[in-house]
Amino acid sequence: MSSSTSDRRLSELWNCVTLDEASSLINSTSSPFSLQNFVGGQYIAPHDSLTSSSQHITSFEPKTGRPIYTLPCTQPHAVEAAIKAAKAAFPSWSKTARAERSAILWKVSELLQQNREVFAIWESIDQGKTLDRARVEVDRAISNFSYFSTFILHEQTAARMVDGVALTYEHRSPAGVFALISPWNMPLYLLTWKIAPCLAFGCTAVAKPSEVTSMTAFLLGDIFQKAGVPPGVINIIFGDGATTGAALVASPLINGVSFTGGTQTGIAIRRLTAHQIGKHLSLELGGKNPTLVFADSMVPSVRERTIRVAAMAAFENQGEICLCGSRIYVEKSVYNDFVRDFTAYVREKYVLKQTVGAVASLQHCDKIRGYLELAAEQKATFHLGGAPPTLNEDEAQGYWIEPTILTDVAKNSAIQIDEIFGPVVTITPFDNEQEAIQLANDSEYGLAAILLTTDGARMRRVGEQLEAGLVWVNCWLVRELGTPFGGMKNSGTGREGGEHSRDVFTVVRTLHLPAY
């Protein structure tokens, strides 16, 4: 694609300020858009990356099943070129004054705010989520840049005296070049959650979004240009995990990896980098999160809140959030009431194609359908939803799955154990507090948990025993960007957010100075 053609196509994307305009643009195009890598401050086609059909990827619109763009499956030599661009930019950027880095990142947040609706439109089309949900995530992406742009202006360090002998103090410096890899479920939000602190703390990066949802990452390159981010500081390449991602994380020129995605991919990253002991790793992986509903949370004064929070945690973004509460455990005395009220609420509030979007891909739709077919085979009770019909790529009219509520699912069923990552929730009774804790912790994962109770003592007593990196009490998805974000067990390693992101993207050394 020529430079003028690329610029025209980019302009067409920016000019879509409604969903209808974006859909019309897609329909009016004889062939899908071709996304280009953003390397060294400009859009480029990776050398030889589109020379055969096996070296490009087609992305489909989840709500219709139609192709919307192609992207390069960036080959290892082109990955290395992007890494070298980041490496070349690091000496200057790492020594750039914090006030200057702050101003540039603040400008990024302003430009995102100015283009909020355009980003939300393309995020909704690309991922399948509702436009309202996409707007929430764009707002959080804006906050990522505004937060870290000011955070770095107020850093502090620690100094200690060894009485009469020495003064010691901690000194931090940027860690180097990072690989930033984000998933397909919240593309812009989670990619910027990595880019913002990485650049704020003086590192440079090569970012790779999921090949399933790459559109808003493509648009970000233009934002970085307009904000004045120096060439090579942030590079965005496209491709799959096996080819592009593996070459990226395994490169000896990469000093650290921040990854959000599936546990199996996280394990693969650990293996690929095992011989590089000093490489920083921050891995936020899968979750099969419990929601605990105690009887006191079903009294009339708070019942509506309990049902609303449990439903939001189960079905927001079609259940495609690693923090969703997909295992609901309810105290037996209120179990039947909860199932009845919860089902009625979800039926009214979470309506397919209105307040519930499409799942992200045909492959993921097939995966979820397989679990629902298994539920039917295992004689689970469907209070809502069911397995959708089998589709192939040629006949797909969108990847739609009804919100599904299941009871009578065995404890050892794959439906209770595996991360389904869709609009599917199980409800199971418990007898007492200790059983609730045991059921909640009976998982290989430990990312998040939701605790619904009005008992203040129980909030701490139970909350502090849950094996989860994040515990929400009577709320869900509330975030303060300085708090540590990450999981236990197979839900990952490391924490990000505020000072914890500083730990990821900097190295610390201790200096010892004579006292006299």
Side-chain angles (χ1 to χ4, degrees):
M1 183 185 296
S2 68
S3 176
S4 60
T5 302
S6 176
D7 291 344
R8 177 175 57 80
R9 281 292 179 88
L10 189 59
S11 178
E12 289 174 342
L13 297 176
W14 283 123
N15 287 334
C16 294
V17 295
T18 68
L19 277 174
D20 288 342
E21 289 177 355
S23 295
S24 295
L25 178 62
I26 295 169
N27 290 332
S28 66
T29 304
S30 57
S31 60
F33 289 95
S34 295
L35 305 190
Q36 293 179 305
N37 289 344
F38 181 78
V39 177
Q42 60 184 333
Y43 289 104
I44 63 169
H47 301 143
D48 303 323
S49 69
L50 295 176
T51 56
S52 72
S53 60
S54 64
Q55 292 178 325
H56 74 268
I57 300 166
T58 301
S59 183
F60 296 86
E61 182 183 4
K63 296 172 187 174
T64 64
R66 61 187 172 182
I68 49 175
Y69 58 83
T70 63
L71 61 149
C73 186
T74 306
Q75 301 300 296
H77 66 279
V79 173
E80 200 70 5
I83 297 171
K84 288 178 179 178
K87 192 78 173 177
F90 177 73
S92 175
W93 183 250
S94 63
K95 291 180 172 57
T96 298
R98 284 180 293 178
E100 185 176 345
R101 296 202 304 264
S102 172
I104 291 172
L105 294 181
W106 186 264
K107 182 63 175 178
V108 172
S109 73
E110 289 182 328
L111 290 171
L112 283 172
Q113 181 65 56
Q114 292 168 19
N115 294 279
R116 174 181 183 259
E117 192 67 6
V118 175
F119 272 98
I121 286 165
W122 287 113
E123 195 81 319
S124 175
I125 288 174
D126 196 20
Q127 202 276 336
K129 62 178 84 260
T130 66
L131 184 56
D132 283 344
R133 178 67 219 173
R135 289 177 178 132
V136 170
E137 293 176 17
V138 174
D139 287 342
R140 292 197 171 195
I142 294 166
S143 295
N144 289 338
F145 282 103
S146 61
Y147 174 83
F148 282 106
S149 72
T150 56
F151 180 91
I152 58 172
L153 299 177
H154 308 284
E155 286 193 84
Q156 58 185 6
T157 190
R160 301 172 181 85
M161 286 294 300
V162 181
D163 193 24
V165 177
L167 167 69
T168 71
Y169 72 94
E170 298 171 10
H171 174 266
R172 288 181 178 271
S173 57
V177 179
F178 269 75
L180 309 176
I181 304 177
S182 58
W184 48 255
N185 62 318
M186 303 168 84
L188 181 69
Y189 173 32
L190 293 180
L191 185 61
T192 58
W193 175 242
K194 300 177 182 304
I195 293 176
C198 179
L199 271 54
F201 292 115
C203 295
T204 59
V206 179
K208 191 199 87 66
S210 167
E211 67 274 20
V212 177
T213 51
S214 295
M215 180 63 87
T216 51
F218 175 69
L219 293 174
L220 264 182
D222 199 36
I223 294 292
F224 292 137
Q225 280 184 328
K226 292 172 179 174
V229 178
V233 169
I234 176 64
N235 307 275
I236 303 169
I237 61 174
F238 303 106
D240 64 11
T243 304
T244 309
L248 178 58
V249 302
S251 172
L253 298 179
I254 289 292
N255 302 104
V257 179
S258 175
F259 168 80
T260 298
T263 296
Q264 291 307 309
T265 305
I267 292 170
I269 290 172
R270 291 286 290 266
R271 287 173 177 158
L272 283 168
T273 59
H275 62 292
Q276 299 167 331
I277 301 299
K279 183 170 286 191
H280 289 210
L281 290 183
S282 178
L283 307 176
E284 192 270 286
L285 308 177
K288 184 72 172 179
N289 309 302
T291 297
L292 301 184
V293 181
F294 285 90
D296 58 0
S297 73
M298 286 292 286
V299 298
S301 60
V302 294
R303 178 179 299 215
E304 187 279 334
R305 181 187 67 186
T306 295
I307 298 296
R308 172 173 47 82
V309 170
M312 183 190 308
F315 296 113
E316 194 68 20
N317 200 48
Q318 305 79 246
E320 294 174 325
I321 300 177
C322 57
L323 304 164
C324 278
S326 57
R327 295 182 292 139
I328 301 179
Y329 298 104
V330 183
E331 194 164 0
K332 189 170 290 184
S333 62
V334 294
Y335 175 78
N336 290 331
D337 289 346
F338 178 86
V339 171
R340 180 197 65 220
D341 293 352
F342 182 78
T343 301
Y345 183 89
V346 172
R347 181 181 287 114
E348 177 186 357
K349 300 293 186 180
Y350 288 86
V351 180
L352 201 65
K353 301 187 179 182
Q354 296 180 29
T355 53
V356 177
V359 298
S361 68
L362 179 60
Q363 294 75 19
H364 192 53
C365 187
D366 288 343
K367 171 191 169 182
I368 299 169
R369 187 185 63 252
Y371 282 104
L372 296 177
E373 290 172 347
L374 177 63
E377 292 172 10
Q378 294 179 347
K379 309 300 182 186
T381 300
F382 285 73
H383 294 265
L384 198 64
T390 302
L391 300 171
N392 62 51
E393 209 163 78
D394 294 332
E395 66 183 11
Q397 298 296 310
Y399 317 132
W400 301 97
I401 295 181
E402 294 275 359
T404 302
I405 299 171
L406 301 171
T407 60
D408 305 313
V409 178
K411 178 181 176 181
N412 61 354
S413 169
I415 299 159
Q416 291 275 35
I417 296 170
D418 297 349
E419 184 183 32
I420 298 174
F421 214 64
V424 180
V425 67
T426 60
I427 309 178
T428 305
F430 66 82
D431 285 314
N432 54 56
E433 193 173 285
Q434 283 308 306
E435 185 187 12
I437 295 169
Q438 186 276 324
L439 288 168
N441 292 339
D442 186 21
S443 173
E444 66 174 296
Y445 300 107
L447 184 56
I450 301 98
L451 174 57
L452 301 174
T453 180
T454 59
D455 185 329
R458 178 184 286 132
M459 293 175 189
R460 291 189 60 187
R461 186 173 61 246
V462 173
E464 292 174 7
Q465 295 182 68
L466 295 176
E467 295 171 355
L470 303 100
V471 179
W472 282 287
V473 180
N474 297 328
C475 61
W476 179 71
L477 215 59
V478 175
R479 288 294 313 282
E480 197 286 319
L481 298 185
T483 55
F485 182 91
M488 302 178 181
K489 301 191 284 190
N490 277 353
S491 287
T493 181
R495 295 290 186 273
E496 295 184 9
E499 293 181 357
H500 307 278
S501 291
R502 182 186 64 176
D503 292 340
V504 172
F505 294 109
T506 64
V507 290
V508 61
R509 59 186 59 78
T510 302
L511 278 75
H512 303 266
L513 282 65
Y516 303 103

